[in-house]
Amino acid sequence: MNVRDFDRVVNKLDMETKDSKHHHAWFVYEGVTVARTKRSHGNNKFIPEDKIRKQLHVDQQQFVGLQSCTVSKAEYVQILIDKGIIQSNSTKH
């Protein structure tokens, strides 16, 4: 995965970001951080795709969908709900 693909996923999911030693990104749903990831600075850096995929809690097919824009932010939220990582409004007590 290259920097451009990483940034595309971060932007698509409206992840919050912070630059320090690395470029950190985290996905917040209803005020709760549910996924965190990071990459090194620099445009020629290779990012280990399997680590990013695991940090985002998606399988290979879902991750490819995030990169290729066939999986939307709403679909990503549904993936996380289906995996029990986050709760939907209808299942909260």
Side-chain angles (χ1 to χ4, degrees):
M1 168 178 239
N2 62 36
V3 171
R4 184 175 175 208
D5 291 337
F6 179 88
D7 290 343
R8 183 182 312 128
V9 171
V10 167
N11 291 333
K12 173 198 275 191
L13 298 178
D14 296 322
M15 296 177 83
E16 296 183 27
T17 61
K18 178 182 177 185
D19 284 328
S20 61
K21 184 177 179 182
H22 299 286
H23 183 75
H24 297 265
W26 56 97
F27 183 75
V28 177
Y29 181 76
E30 295 183 350
V32 178
T33 300
V34 294
R36 294 177 186 269
T37 190
K38 67 181 178 179
R39 70 164 173 84
S40 295
H41 289 285
N43 290 329
N44 295 328
K45 300 282 185 178
F46 174 76
I47 303 165
E49 192 172 292
D50 61 322
K51 289 184 181 181
I52 304 297
R53 181 178 55 79
K54 289 176 186 175
Q55 292 167 340
L56 294 178
H57 309 289
V58 293
D59 62 28
Q60 183 64 32
Q61 182 179 359
Q62 294 161 339
F63 189 67
V64 169
L66 285 172
Q67 288 180 289
S68 66
C69 297
T70 59
V71 173
S72 68
K73 180 180 177 182
E75 290 168 323
Y76 177 64
V77 168
Q78 188 60 51
I79 289 167
L80 297 179
I81 290 170
D82 292 346
K83 290 185 175 194
I85 295 165
I86 58 176
Q87 292 184 341
S88 67
N89 288 331
S90 61
T91 61
K92 287 185 177 179
H93 295 1

